[in-house]
Amino acid sequence: GAVVSQHPSRVICKSGTSVKIECRSLDFQATTMFWYRQFPKQSLMLMATSNEGSKATYEQGVEKDKFLINHASLTLSTLTVTSAHPEDSSFYICSARDGSANTEAFFGQGTRLTVV
Amino acid sequence: GDSVTQMEGPVTLSEEAFLTINCTYTATGYPSLFWYVQYPGEGLQLLLKATKADDKGSNKGFEATYRKETTSFHLEKGSVQVSDSAVYFCARRGSNTGKLIFGQGTTLQVKP
């Protein structure tokens, strides 16, 4: 299947700083990317959906000013956690697809964020 | 709203035992159904899928059949291995939005 690369795999940052997570589609054009958050031993919660060249659509309850999503090209989307706090510590996973809603989405490896 | 419900884990089995992980979904429209597997510290990998009623998805010895009448998509494997130890997620995808909605995940532990 297609490859989605997420970087970094782990990051530790100080409270109050910002962290950027990258999600790249390596061998296809990702017209749509999804960002998920996963709490320990829980399911994935969709945070936002981004289409290349347009603003992201955030799910209810997700602060768009805190979780900045940029999808400037067909192969790269970034999630920036601004002014991070310990409660933002989580596992963040991106997925990407090329094409319509019925096209399979491929997942990145995930990023473990720890805010100290 | 749309939802997916999985049996709670953890599920602990001995090697070569039979596995069933139950999954049911809300019946809004005609969703596609998926099983994903997540190994420790990694992202999700698609295990199998079914896009319409009575379809059977299969991969690596795992199977699941799309049952519209019971709105279920139970995952089965006849003989599990230690390497199957992971978290398994059932998911549905709406045909209009393309969004995946996940169940809560079921941890499988297979002991030698």
Side-chain angles (χ1 to χ4, degrees), chain B residues 3-4 6 8-9 11 13 18 21-22 26 29 34 44 46 51 55 57 64-65 69 82-83 86 91 93 99 104 112:
Chain B
S3 66
V4 176
Q6 288 178 238
E8 287 192 22
V11 174
L13 296 173
F18 184 85
I21 300 178
N22 290 337
T26 54
F34 304 82
L44 273 69
L46 177 64
T51 57
D55 268 3
T65 301
E69 63 276 13
V82 173
S83 58
R93 184 179 68 197
K99 292 180 183 179
Q104 62 269 48

Side-chain angles (χ1 to χ4, degrees), chain A residues 10 22 24 37-39 41-42 79 83 86 88 106 111:
Chain A
R10 292 178 181 273
E22 293 187 346
R24 294 181 184 272
R37 181 173 180 177
Q38 184 181 28
F39 292 97
K41 299 184 179 181
Q42 294 188 29
L79 166 67
S83 187
D88 299 324
F106 298 93
T111 297

